[in-house]
Amino acid sequence: MCKHILNPQVSIRASCCKRWFDCAECHAEASDHELRKSSEMVFACKKCKKVFRKDMESFDETDEYCPHCDNHYVIEAKTPQMSIRVEGEDPRKDNRMIKDERIKKVPERSIFFPEFSHRLG
């Protein structure tokens, strides 16, 4: 599990040590050597679990998809950001997610409801 990229779509096989990593930073943390650069890279798709090779010297837009399942694996890498927020719709519009529906509502008391009309004098 990569802590540098939120949604890696492929694993990369390092040509120097023949081990699988989600990103180059994971390789740098786990290994005592630098990642050896090569013109051919070996990928493992995380969707269909199949391995494929790509030549990086002639890489174009059609090579951004897994050849087995057409999973688009070249996507914008997002790094995790620390934040605390309520997921979902804007609570100012719909505050049902904030209310605890297990708590029994106390009925409103007003002199205009029929059960209190005998007190009107």
Side-chain angles (χ1 to χ4, degrees), residues 85-99:
R85 63 176 182 232
V86 177
E87 291 184 4
E89 295 291 324
D90 187 2
R92 293 172 289 184
K93 292 180 189 173
D94 184 18
N95 61 358
R96 284 182 293 173
M97 69 174 68
I98 296 174
K99 290 180 185 175

Side-chain angles (χ1 to χ4, degrees), residues 11-103:
S11 290
I12 303 166
R13 186 170 184 223
S15 58
C16 49
C17 57
K18 309 291 187 220
R19 292 173 49 203
W20 292 94
F21 297 97
D22 285 337
C23 70
E25 292 176 18
C26 289
H27 177 272
E29 286 181 0
S31 304
D32 58 350
H33 58 276
E34 285 190 26
L35 184 63
R36 187 174 71 195
K37 304 217 187 290
S38 65
S39 63
E40 186 177 76
M41 292 185 71
V42 180
F43 298 100
C45 179
K46 290 191 173 184
K47 185 176 179 184
C48 66
K49 310 287 191 242
K50 292 189 179 176
V51 178
F52 57 95
R53 295 176 186 266
K54 291 287 180 180
D55 185 17
M56 292 294 125
E57 291 177 357
S58 62
F59 193 85
D60 60 352
E61 285 185 19
T62 59
D63 292 328
E64 294 182 358
Y65 296 88
C66 172
H68 305 287
C69 69
D70 289 334
N71 181 27
H72 192 202
Y73 66 88
V74 179
I75 56 176
E76 180 183 349
K78 296 182 180 178
T79 54
Q81 301 292 327
M82 292 289 292
S83 66
I84 298 175
R85 63 176 182 232
V86 177
E87 291 184 4
E89 295 291 324
D90 187 2
R92 293 172 289 184
K93 292 180 189 173
D94 184 18
N95 61 358
R96 284 182 293 173
M97 69 174 68
I98 296 174
K99 290 180 185 175
D100 190 1
E101 295 177 0
R102 296 173 292 177
I103 298 174

